Amino acid sequence: MTSFAPPRERSPLAGAATALALAGLVGAGLWAARRPQPRPQPGSALPVETARQPAARRARQGGMLLAASAAIDGATEHYRGGFHRWEMYLGPAASIGALAASAMQAAMPRPLREGLLLTAAGVGLAGHAFHARNILDRPGGVCWSNLFYAAPIGAPGSVALAGLAGLAATMLERREPEMPHRRGRWIAIGTVAGLLGTTAEVALLHFRGAYHNPAMYIPVTLPPIAALTLGAAAARPSPTRLRLAHRMLGATAMMGLVGTAFHAWGVHRNMGGWRNWQQNLLVAPPLPAPPGFTGVALVGLAAIDLLEASE
Amino acid sequence: MISQGSEIRAKDGRAPDVFSRDGWVAMRQYREAEEVDVAVIGTGAGGGVVAAKLAEAGLSVVAFDAGAFYRPLADFASDEREQDKLYWTDDRISGGDDAIEMGSNNSGRAIGGSTVHFQMVALRFRPEWFQARSRLGYGRDWPVDWREMWRCYDEVEDALKIAGPVTYPWGPKRGRYPYRQHELNASAQVLARGAEAMGVDWSPCPISTVSAPRGKSPPCVYRGFCKIGCSTNAKQSILNTYIPRALAAGAEVRDLAMVGRIETGSDGRATGVHYHRDGEWRFQKARRVVVAGYSIETPRLLLNSSSPSHPQGLANAEGLVGTELMVHSNHAVWGVMEDEIRWYKGPPSMAVCEHWNYDDDKDFHGGYAFMSQGPLPTDFATSMVKNLGVFGMELRRRMALYNHMAGLKIVGEVMPTPANRVELSEETDALGLPLPRITFRFGENDRKLSDHALRFMRTMHEAAGARDIFETAGSAHLMGGCRMGFSAADGVVDGAGRAFSCPNLWIADGSVMPTGGGVNPSITIMANATRIAGHMIGAIARGEG
Amino acid sequence: MTSPPRRYPDYDVLDKRDSPSWDDITRHVVAGRLNPPERQFFDDALWDVLIALCDTIMPQPDRDRPIAIWIDAALAQNRTTGTRYDNLPPMREAWKRGLAALEAEARLCHGRPFHDLAQDAREALLKAIDREEVAAPEWNDLPPRRMFREVLANEIVRVYYSHPDAWSEIGFGGPASPRGYVRLGPNRRDPWEAEESAATRRSAEP
């Protein structure tokens, strides 16, 4: 028999998606790992003080949305996977922990709160490794079939983002930023990475759906534009740039909510529609996924608040 | 219990809306005395495409089919025995050393033809196969340029929104499939693991069921009853693609209308068709006739349409009608897996290996593809009975392992041979039409091919972890019987599908295929019908048709 | 005679009848399957042979689902398969002649009607027929193996595996529309699929 090398479908898009997602996480992780300034600055300017509150609130809301989205989506997808290994409980559990931490705010002791959020960030990062192994274990390895249908390589990133967003909120609440623009910039970098990583995953999954509806292009075009404007505003803040970034992030946040409506329509379009929910909630477009964009966008708006304050 | 399929539905200016449970779409109708531009006989992979293309070109078209006009959502049960209603089950006399089994595995009887119950595998011919004789040294050349076929494949794949792999390992570079590949079921993963163990390529199989919504078709729910009719409309068959197009473009479709004879004038030209519908024989006048009844009914109809100007049967001046009938060898290996496979889930063939279609280092002509399998219970049980002769408690014990079974089955190229053919028998059916008599025998090359395939697949199946392997033999599909040729001595029709000895008669189904290739034929039949329709439209526009 | 191992002891495909796995047409068709019609085609003599043949080809010590009556119904409707092998008569005649030849073979070999034979004698007789070792003149030009496999056994097996109890027996998902399946990979099943008993799963042996 003639011998042939086993096929390996190299997929540039998926590679880029992974790289982007990881870059986003590394960026956000660096930001999170940064030790807070030990001494508060009592003499900070008044505008910064006023910006701090809404920024913290937005970051917290963003973190909550991200955590809720990751928890429901992760639980649904892992249920689909039959929870066939115990580690599959970790992602949804960590997301619920992050959700509780962000939601309960001061009602939860700070060490527990930050512990839960850090755990979510860690579990999300580890999730990538598990998902990568799931892909490599299947016949074909890194090939389109497995990128489409094995454990999604980008998905755990949303758990990590939920943790990082919550951490950002706790830090903003805790003390005056010494240099709000620097903090704003770090949050902006994390947001840009989160937006691009999420976009990459959506691009892969909407490609799997053959972009059969033109609306499926919106979540792969609008968020990168928002990321671009936010990046520009963070690099060299100006009122025009900040205004533009604010609008684009607002649009992205809206898109996340409208996306759920589109996905609900998708469930209806599958065979049996909502009556066949046992199947369609698992195989149709995921309802909890689009608000993840809203969550990231809210964190981005928090960055804008801080950047505006220092302008 | 045949609960549907006996009522004429396409009448009174309307036809069934195939995307509804009980709805209708408007249908233009033509009077029988009105000489329509084209009468199309058969609405399957060939006729359905031609009817739509010609109607869209502005021609008046009446398409006839012996079968019923179903609405899949309401009429197709999840039940093998009930769905026998989709098969051509009229008696056909089958003989020869390897008599072909007819009915479920090769002949449909419905609007949409066999595509209503086909396995949806959408593989293109290898380009060299269109010149099999001159480039590979066997069979016949097609009077067709493969690049023209390639363009037609593109068109058909888009019309059916074939869900295929992003990259396909074999053949010339090709555009991306319109829809993405489906998730591989466990059965397909067995093939994939085996192929990787053997060091040969494998691929998710391009199939004709959508992996995302398309119009009124929901994405496939992996219910696994594809071979007995898709009840969700996820399968893109002629019934829910080209037929709605044909109707929208003004074609009339006559269901439960069995054409028994094509009438010819003293000048030898076809003048219309005699058909049986609603209990009586009727006649439709037509300027041109396209026959697309597939490899048994097309020769049967032509042979039964003899007239003073065509004494041996229509288009049979050279005695070629009915000759060189081909099937695909459909041999398989089956084995027991440690894993639960549950092969009833998903389309039956989700992974394919075309290695031996593209590797020419082998001791036989032609090639074969093989796919993962997922037979429904009676299909699998009867294949064990027929091949192994098992029955009794032994059969029940083997069937108890149904969910642990996996199989690999070939679509193997069979050489065209004059003695394998369709003729008319002395016996007649209920309508008084002579029954077809089919003679078939696998040749020496065909046996070498299936032996090679069984050897290779057995090794591969073992490598994938299968135990207690057994083999089955069989055939599937039909090709040939009215082949295209370069001259009247060489074929029944020319490369444009037009009969050499009857200028206003075309054939546009699988019967015109000069060779069978090593892949399922449906999409090639559709692409070729697309090509033939294009040539017809051109000829008519030039006043040559 | 032992029953095959019960691999799916808690599974009954009919439990899903009112779930989204079944649609109206399927409910209608399967309901009909559970209500056999009256005998129309076979006379008493051939009926006895047919019943015994069904019991031999698809023995059911664990239950008693009618098979023969559905063959009678199909022949009464002159339901055919699309294949008439040139050495077999048309379907109705094939059944009559096939059963008559089987009966003659039993009387010739054992001096008793087929339905009076013990199960293993019947099995041995059918295996001899499948090997084309026949003596009764009633076979005449009938090809024994083709008659046995393609006509008699084929249809009996078809009828057996078209009964919902047979689907439950082998763990087949059964009707599935509009709801199909979500979990397609090896060793994965949806909640509405048959669960294999742990004991038999460990011994995936024939």
Side-chain angles (χ1 to χ4, degrees):
Chain A
M1 305 292 172
T2 322
S3 182
F4 278 77
R8 283 275 184 264
E9 300 171 27
R10 295 283 169 212
S11 41
L13 183 85
T18 317
L20 272 175
L22 289 175
L25 285 156
V26 168
L30 282 174
W31 169 80
R34 195 172 146 274
R35 285 293 111 215
Q37 300 296 322
R39 282 166 286 107
Q41 297 280 319
S44 283
L46 190 65
V48 179
E49 173 62 31
T50 52
R52 187 172 68 87
Q53 301 296 348
R57 195 173 62 243
R58 275 184 164 144
R60 194 169 66 83
Q61 288 168 343
M64 281 168 62
L65 253 180
L66 272 166
S69 164
I72 302 172
D73 199 30
T76 317
E77 291 291 327
H78 286 186
Y79 168 73
R80 179 186 187 166
F83 287 104
H84 69 276
R85 48 190 307 162
W86 66 269
E87 293 94 333
M88 292 170 78
Y89 290 100
L90 291 182
S95 308
I96 291 168
L99 177 60
S102 289
M104 290 174 71
Q105 230 180 332
M108 188 184 277
R110 188 188 296 156
L112 176 60
R113 209 167 136 200
E114 293 188 353
L116 285 173
L117 292 165
L118 273 169
T119 304
V123 164
L125 287 174
H128 288 295
F130 276 96
H131 285 205
R133 215 185 100 183
N134 183 279
I135 288 171
L136 294 172
D137 278 352
R138 298 197 186 202
V142 181
C143 64
W144 285 102
S145 276
N146 293 339
L147 291 171
F148 288 155
Y149 299 111
I153 186 68
S158 63
V159 184
L161 284 174
L164 296 174
L167 283 172
T170 57
M171 282 171 209
L172 288 173
E173 281 157 14
R174 206 148 47 144
R175 70 180 70 81
E176 302 305 320
E178 184 187 356
M179 286 180 280
H181 67 279
R182 270 186 66 183
R183 183 142 299 175
R185 197 170 281 174
W186 275 112
I187 297 181
I189 289 172
T191 305
V192 167
L195 282 173
L196 294 179
T198 311
T199 302
E201 197 196 352
V202 173
L204 178 72
L205 294 179
H206 283 195
F207 176 55
R208 183 180 90 182
Y211 290 97
H212 65 88
N213 184 332
M216 293 166 78
Y217 286 106
I218 298 173
V220 296
T221 44
L222 183 54
I225 294 172
L228 203 68
T229 58
L230 177 61
R236 278 181 48 207
S238 75
T240 324
R241 289 182 175 204
L242 285 166
R243 205 163 44 243
L244 183 64
H246 192 120
R247 283 194 187 140
M248 295 313 295
L249 287 167
T252 302
M254 279 304 294
M255 180 203 76
L257 300 178
V258 176
T260 293
F262 268 96
H263 283 197
W265 173 249
V267 173
H268 158 77
R269 280 192 79 186
N270 273 38
M271 188 62 196
W274 280 91
R275 198 173 79 83
N276 187 14
W277 61 271
Q278 280 171 298
Q279 172 158 28
N280 289 342
L281 284 184
L282 300 180
V283 299
L287 295 176
F293 270 125
T294 312
V296 183
L298 283 174
V299 179
L301 288 172
I304 299 267
D305 284 339
L306 293 170
L307 292 167
E308 272 173 348
S310 50
E311 247 307 286
Chain B
M1 291 280 143
I2 307 294
S3 47
Q4 278 83 24
S6 52
E7 77 181 299
I8 290 174
R9 286 177 170 174
K11 59 177 182 183
D12 305 329
R14 62 184 198 174
D17 174 2
V18 296
F19 291 104
S20 73
R21 289 175 196 284
D22 50 12
W24 303 90
V25 294
M27 180 177 76
R28 186 164 172 193
Q29 285 186 271
Y30 298 90
R31 287 178 300 111
E32 287 175 327
E34 183 181 342
E35 191 177 41
V36 294
D37 289 329
V38 190
V40 179
I41 302 161
T43 63
V49 170
V50 167
K53 300 284 289 179
L54 297 186
E56 285 168 352
L59 297 164
S60 56
V61 174
V62 177
F64 300 84
D65 201 291
F69 208 142
Y70 291 108
R71 294 185 189 92
L73 292 174
D75 298 336
F76 290 173
S78 299
D79 186 273
E80 287 180 272
R81 196 165 175 80
E82 164 72 12
Q83 292 302 108
D84 281 353
K85 64 190 178 190
L86 297 181
Y87 307 135
W88 192 288
T89 53
D90 288 2
D91 268 357
R92 285 149 159 185
I93 299 169
S94 184
D97 292 351
D98 301 289
I100 308 169
E101 185 180 351
M102 305 301 296
S104 62
N105 67 338
N106 57 21
S107 304
R109 187 182 184 126
I111 301 295
S114 301
T115 69
V116 176
H117 59 82
F118 78 147
Q119 203 151 323
M120 314 185 295
V121 172
L123 302 174
R124 295 182 179 190
F125 259 43
R126 177 180 164 180
E128 287 89 336
W129 291 346
F130 295 103
Q131 291 166 283
R133 170 55 60 191
S134 48
R135 295 188 61 180
L136 300 168
Y138 70 87
R140 296 181 171 278
D141 287 357
W142 292 43
V144 171
D145 186 327
W146 75 271
R147 285 161 298 197
E148 191 189 354
M149 281 296 286
W150 231 239
R151 288 191 292 275
C152 295
Y153 279 125
D154 281 342
E155 180 179 330
V156 169
E157 285 170 359
D158 192 59
L160 300 180
K161 291 285 180 261
I162 299 294
V166 178
T167 52
Y168 193 66
W170 303 281
K173 207 170 153 52
R174 44 153 304 139
R176 184 183 293 154
Y177 283 100
Y179 273 41
R180 300 293 82 76
Q181 64 219 58
H182 291 268
E183 180 177 358
L184 296 179
N185 61 8
S187 170
Q189 291 183 33
V190 172
L191 181 145
R193 289 202 187 281
E196 293 191 348
M198 297 291 281
V200 295
D201 281 349
W202 64 276
S203 172
C205 196
I207 47 180
S208 182
T209 178
V210 286
S211 55
R214 188 244 176 139
K216 289 176 182 167
S217 289
C220 180
V221 291
Y222 308 114
R223 55 190 286 273
F225 288 83
C226 323
K227 272 184 80 178
I228 62 166
C230 176
S231 66
T232 73
N233 276 321
K235 173 193 270 191
Q236 303 296 291
S237 67
I238 294 289
L239 175 63
N240 64 6
T241 57
Y242 283 92
I243 294 296
R245 272 173 61 178
L247 291 170
E252 178 181 351
V253 174
R254 291 191 193 151
D255 53 347
L256 297 170
M258 173 72 186
V259 175
R261 192 178 144 78
I262 298 166
E263 191 60 54
T264 40
S266 52
D267 57 355
R269 290 174 66 90
T271 57
V273 301
H274 297 275
Y275 67 103
H276 192 272
R277 197 188 196 204
D278 209 6
E280 59 179 338
W281 282 103
R282 313 179 67 94
F283 182 72
Q284 174 68 51
K285 286 179 75 175
R287 288 189 191 90
R288 302 164 195 88
V289 173
V290 178
V291 189
Y294 210 10
S295 290
I296 307 301
E297 295 306 315
T298 292
R300 181 189 183 199
L301 176 61
L302 296 180
L303 293 172
N304 195 44
S305 299
S306 57
S307 66
S309 48
H310 297 276
Q312 298 185 71
L314 188 52
N316 195 30
E318 305 286 334
L320 297 177
V321 169
T323 63
E324 298 197 4
L325 175 73
M326 292 168 285
V327 296
H328 282 128
S329 45
N330 209 208
H331 296 46
V333 300
W334 313 88
V336 182
M337 308 296 295
E338 176 97 32
D339 287 334
E340 278 185 15
I341 302 299
R342 297 181 186 261
W343 58 4
Y344 55 82
K345 294 191 278 189
S349 293
M350 301 192 85
V352 61
C353 176
E354 270 208 82
H355 179 82
W356 295 108
N357 272 335
Y358 287 86
D359 187 326
D360 290 325
D361 182 18
K362 51 200 176 195
D363 63 347
F364 56 88
H365 287 310
Y368 63 87
F370 60 92
M371 293 88 172
S372 56
Q373 296 296 308
L376 292 169
T378 72
D379 189 7
F380 184 56
T382 54
S383 80
M384 284 199 285
V385 173
K386 289 178 193 173
N387 279 279
L388 312 177
V390 290
F391 64 93
M393 210 42 96
E394 166 70 6
L395 179 62
R396 280 186 67 184
R397 267 192 294 271
R398 282 175 179 256
M399 282 299 287
L401 291 167
Y402 180 75
N403 283 346
H404 284 272
M405 299 300 301
L408 305 169
K409 193 186 248 192
I410 65 164
V411 170
E413 184 163 13
V414 161
M415 295 296 121
T417 309
N420 290 338
R421 63 180 303 170
V422 185
E423 297 158 287
L424 297 184
S425 88
E426 307 282 300
E427 276 185 72
T428 55
D429 65 11
L431 299 180
L433 301 170
L435 295 186
R437 167 184 289 280
I438 302 152
T439 308
F440 188 82
R441 175 180 181 276
F442 284 122
E444 194 190 337
N445 188 76
D446 306 333
R447 285 180 205 288
K448 275 189 181 167
L449 183 148
S450 49
D451 287 349
H452 180 280
L454 288 172
R455 268 199 318 275
F456 184 81
M457 293 192 300
R458 178 182 275 273
T459 314
M460 177 160 150
H461 215 22
E462 274 167 3
R467 299 187 284 104
D468 303 314
I469 292 176
F470 66 93
E471 298 171 357
T472 58
S475 72
H477 312 141
L478 299 166
M479 284 86 38
C482 291
R483 68 175 181 267
M484 292 186 281
F486 293 89
S487 67
D490 183 47
V492 176
V493 295
D494 64 16
R498 192 195 301 233
F500 283 109
S501 59
C502 182
N504 66 339
L505 178 81
W506 281 261
I507 306 178
D509 58 17
S511 73
V512 301
M513 292 169 69
T515 56
V519 292
N520 310 49
S522 308
I523 196 140
T524 299
I525 297 172
M526 291 182 217
N528 198 35
T530 302
R531 206 181 54 77
I532 289 171
H535 284 286
M536 263 188 92
I537 292 163
I540 292 167
R542 292 191 303 272
E544 295 165 2
Chain C
M1 184 167 42
T2 53
S3 294
R6 295 188 66 208
R7 288 185 165 261
Y8 307 92
D10 304 322
Y11 177 65
D12 183 351
V13 76
L14 290 174
D15 290 344
K16 291 193 268 185
R17 190 165 12 190
D18 295 321
S19 78
S21 286
W22 290 49
D23 54 13
D24 289 342
I25 168 101
T26 305
R27 275 188 278 267
H28 172 77
V29 165
V30 177
R33 182 86 27 88
L34 303 175
N35 287 302
E38 295 291 309
R39 169 153 63 100
Q40 295 176 59
F41 181 75
F42 287 109
D43 61 24
D44 288 347
L46 288 181
W47 184 248
D48 288 343
V49 186
L50 177 60
I51 294 278
L53 180 64
C54 293
D55 280 348
T56 317
I57 288 178
M58 289 311 318
Q60 305 182 66
D62 45 347
R63 63 167 81 95
D64 186 20
R65 300 296 174 225
I67 296 176
I69 193 64
W70 292 110
I71 293 165
D72 181 274
L75 291 169
Q77 290 173 24
N78 205 9
R79 183 177 162 137
T80 49
T81 61
T83 317
R84 163 131 57 97
Y85 291 109
D86 63 350
N87 51 3
L88 284 175
M91 194 58 86
R92 287 175 164 178
E93 195 189 334
W95 272 92
K96 286 186 172 170
R97 286 186 58 192
L99 291 176
L102 173 63
E103 178 70 358
E105 195 68 30
R107 287 176 188 271
L108 189 72
C109 298
H110 298 278
R112 281 193 292 164
F114 184 69
H115 72 263
D116 271 358
L117 300 181
Q119 185 81 358
D120 45 358
R122 286 190 216 156
E123 278 191 20
L125 191 69
L126 292 178
K127 282 178 180 164
I129 290 169
D130 193 47
R131 292 192 302 270
E132 312 234 297
E133 293 163 7
V134 295
E138 279 77 359
W139 287 101
N140 197 359
D141 54 350
L142 289 177
R145 168 177 279 191
R146 182 166 268 172
M147 169 60 79
F148 173 66
R149 290 190 182 186
E150 306 278 346
V151 179
L152 305 177
N154 178 38
E155 184 67 4
I156 289 169
V157 167
R158 256 176 219 283
V159 172
Y160 180 86
Y161 284 105
S162 65
H163 195 287
D165 286 351
W167 304 338
S168 301
E169 175 185 339
I170 62 172
F172 171 53
S177 185
R179 185 175 65 190
Y181 302 101
V182 174
R183 297 173 178 139
L184 304 182
N187 302 316
R188 297 280 181 277
R189 65 178 181 88
D190 289 316
W192 53 92
E193 292 185 78
E195 184 175 7
E196 186 167 5
S197 80
T200 59
R201 199 180 320 135
R202 275 196 301 276
S203 65
E205 49 137 28

